[in-house]
Amino acid sequence: MQLFYHPELEANTEQFIFPPDESRHISKVLRKSSGDILQITNGKGLWFEAEILVPDHKKCRAKIISQTQVPPKPYQLHMAVAPTKLNDRFEWFLEKATEIGVHQITPIICDHSERKVIKMDRMEKVIQAAMKQSLQSYLPQLNPAISFKEYMALPKNGELYIAHCEEDKKKELSHCAVAKKNTTILIGPEGDFSPEEIKLALDNGFQAVALGNTRLRTETAAIVACTTIALINL
């Protein structure tokens, strides 16, 4: 099954035109014809079946023939992760987290961060592609990059965890995470969170957790955390 993404589709949409990139992919790459049926999501939980009317490579036109509202998961997972030094490692995290099931991602710039600028357009495309590849109907929200201190000042809810490498009494995330609860997890940069950042997080209600007995790269730690939350919510 091939899934397409069109964020402007709504429950009352009858006919629509795909954007140029999707139109080109449908008509030029996949060589779809009039009458072919496509599966589409708007990234907000609606899943559509549509019939191609005009397979134009610039303005592919289609009409909705059915739609389904996919219920949301009973929890929300928010990953606040420091961008990695290499872009491709952070993109790998975005791709896999989307496949596993993350709802919101915030890049946080920390004291030890080596990368402080990210390409949001590129990151959005990675997330969209991963959503389509994994046949999901909800597009994770990618927030603008923000400093750690600014992030701490934002309102939060649910279970709050920070995974760091400092020697400390920490429970395993798998032992303290709660099913069907909104959860936020902080993952630091390659040099870890600074002691000041850890203290600030703890003072703001975050609980320190471990992700195993080995030291993990930023993107690996983030995926382990995502997977842990997904597994306890099965």
Side-chain angles (χ1 to χ4, degrees), residues 109-133:
I109 309 303
C110 303
D111 290 342
H112 297 158
S113 290
E114 295 186 71
R115 178 172 295 280
K116 300 189 178 182
V117 177
I118 66 171
K119 298 177 180 178
M120 293 295 289
D121 289 346
R122 169 64 186 168
M123 302 300 179
E124 285 282 5
K125 289 179 181 178
V126 170
I127 291 175
Q128 291 175 18
M131 176 193 67
K132 293 190 291 183
Q133 187 276 327

Side-chain angles (χ1 to χ4, degrees), residues 199-218:
K199 182 179 185 305
L200 182 58
L202 298 179
D203 290 345
N204 277 272
F206 282 81
Q207 178 180 346
V209 293
L211 299 173
N213 298 322
T214 60
R215 176 165 291 187
L216 306 174
R217 290 181 180 272
T218 295

Side-chain angles (χ1 to χ4, degrees), residues 48-121:
F48 302 90
E49 277 195 345
E51 178 184 343
I52 296 177
L53 298 176
V54 182
D56 185 270
H57 69 280
K58 292 183 179 179
K59 295 182 178 181
C60 180
R61 181 180 293 276
K63 68 175 181 180
I64 302 296
I65 57 176
S66 69
Q67 64 177 270
T68 303
Q69 176 67 55
V70 179
K73 293 180 180 179
Y75 70 97
Q76 294 279 310
L77 174 59
H78 184 179
M79 296 296 300
V81 183
T84 54
K85 182 179 180 180
L86 299 176
N87 275 326
D88 61 345
R89 291 187 180 276
F90 197 72
E91 290 178 7
W92 180 85
F93 152 67
L94 293 174
E95 178 184 80
K96 301 311 173 189
T98 300
E99 292 177 16
I100 294 166
V102 68
H103 303 86
Q104 192 173 166
I105 299 164
T106 301
I108 49 173
I109 309 303
C110 303
D111 290 342
H112 297 158
S113 290
E114 295 186 71
R115 178 172 295 280
K116 300 189 178 182
V117 177
I118 66 171
K119 298 177 180 178
M120 293 295 289
D121 289 346

Side-chain angles (χ1 to χ4, degrees), residues 3 14 50 56 60 62 85-86 97 109 116 139 143 149 168 170 177 186 211 226 234:
L3 180 63
E14 296 181 357
D56 185 270
C60 180
K85 182 179 180 180
L86 299 176
I109 309 303
K116 300 189 178 182
L139 182 72
N143 298 319
K149 289 182 180 179
D168 198 359
K170 296 179 288 187
L186 304 179
L211 299 173
C226 287
L234 287 178

